[in-house]
Amino acid sequence: SEADSKLIDQILANSTVKYPPVLVESEVEDDVKELMGRLEQQSVTVPEYLERIGKTQDQLVSEITNAAAKRIEIGLLLGRVSEAEQLTLTDEDLNAVLEGNGGMDALRNRAQAKKVLDFLRSSAIIEDKVVTAPNAEEATEEAADEAADALEIGATEGENE
């Protein structure tokens, strides 16, 4: 919901979240593969897609990388709050968010996020949380480079057809 998004944004703004480069690289790689798959299904080349959305390849890569980094930061932050507050999932929690697709891991992640958000909303005190891991800044840069390379390969393949 919009309220949950605002709450998460506020907590992220007051927190420092660091993580290893491999996390962003993996997310960006998955996002690019998903995008390339959708484009292939629609018989759309990367240059055509970029023209349709009115963005450059660099802008798209930046968006994909930033979105991946934000998802990682949210996941780590919510995980840290869950751990600190000893919020464990019950079958009732899982059933409450059971809405269909995404598999059990996605379901478990959504249920855990819901539980943490419910706790945060009911908590009067939200303290700064710091989640750290080495090389966080490099993660974003490396992931952006890899996404650019993947999109460049897709663009080249589209031009050769």
Side-chain angles (χ1 to χ4, degrees), residues 77-102:
L77 186 65
L78 294 180
R80 177 65 183 107
V81 171
S82 176
E83 183 182 292
E85 300 300 329
Q86 298 177 340
L87 302 172
T88 56
L89 289 176
T90 65
D91 287 343
E92 185 177 296
D93 295 325
L94 291 172
N95 289 332
V97 295
L98 183 57
E99 293 178 5
N101 54 30

Side-chain angles (χ1 to χ4, degrees), residues 8-9 12 17 19 23-32 34 63-79 109 113:
I8 289 172
D9 288 342
L12 279 175
V17 182
Y19 40 85
L23 293 179
V24 175
E25 292 168 10
S26 178
E27 283 287 310
V28 168
E29 183 178 311
D30 289 346
D31 290 351
V32 169
E34 183 181 320
E63 284 181 11
I64 290 171
T65 303
N66 291 338
K70 185 171 182 177
R71 283 194 312 271
I72 289 167
E73 290 170 4
I74 290 169
L76 290 172
L77 186 65
L78 294 180
N109 289 339

Side-chain angles (χ1 to χ4, degrees), residues 100-134:
N101 54 30
M104 193 53 130
D105 288 338
L107 177 62
R108 184 168 294 284
N109 289 339
R110 287 176 42 212
Q112 186 69 44
K114 181 185 182 309
K115 186 160 190 123
V116 171
L117 287 168
D118 289 345
F119 168 78
L120 290 173
R121 275 193 299 278
S122 67
S123 177
I125 300 172
I126 298 176
E127 298 176 14
D128 288 350
K129 300 289 181 188
V130 177
V131 181
T132 60

Side-chain angles (χ1 to χ4, degrees), residues 51-71:
E51 186 176 327
R52 282 184 190 176
I53 63 171
K55 295 183 179 163
T56 66
Q57 182 173 319
D58 288 342
Q59 289 170 324
L60 179 60
V61 168
S62 179
E63 284 181 11
I64 290 171
T65 303
N66 291 338
K70 185 171 182 177
R71 283 194 312 271

Side-chain angles (χ1 to χ4, degrees), residues 34-52:
E34 183 181 320
L35 174 61
M36 298 302 281
R38 285 194 324 260
L39 294 179
E40 186 176 321
Q41 285 179 339
Q42 298 169 4
S43 299
V44 176
T45 66
V46 172
E48 290 169 341
Y49 176 72
L50 292 171
E51 186 176 327
R52 282 184 190 176

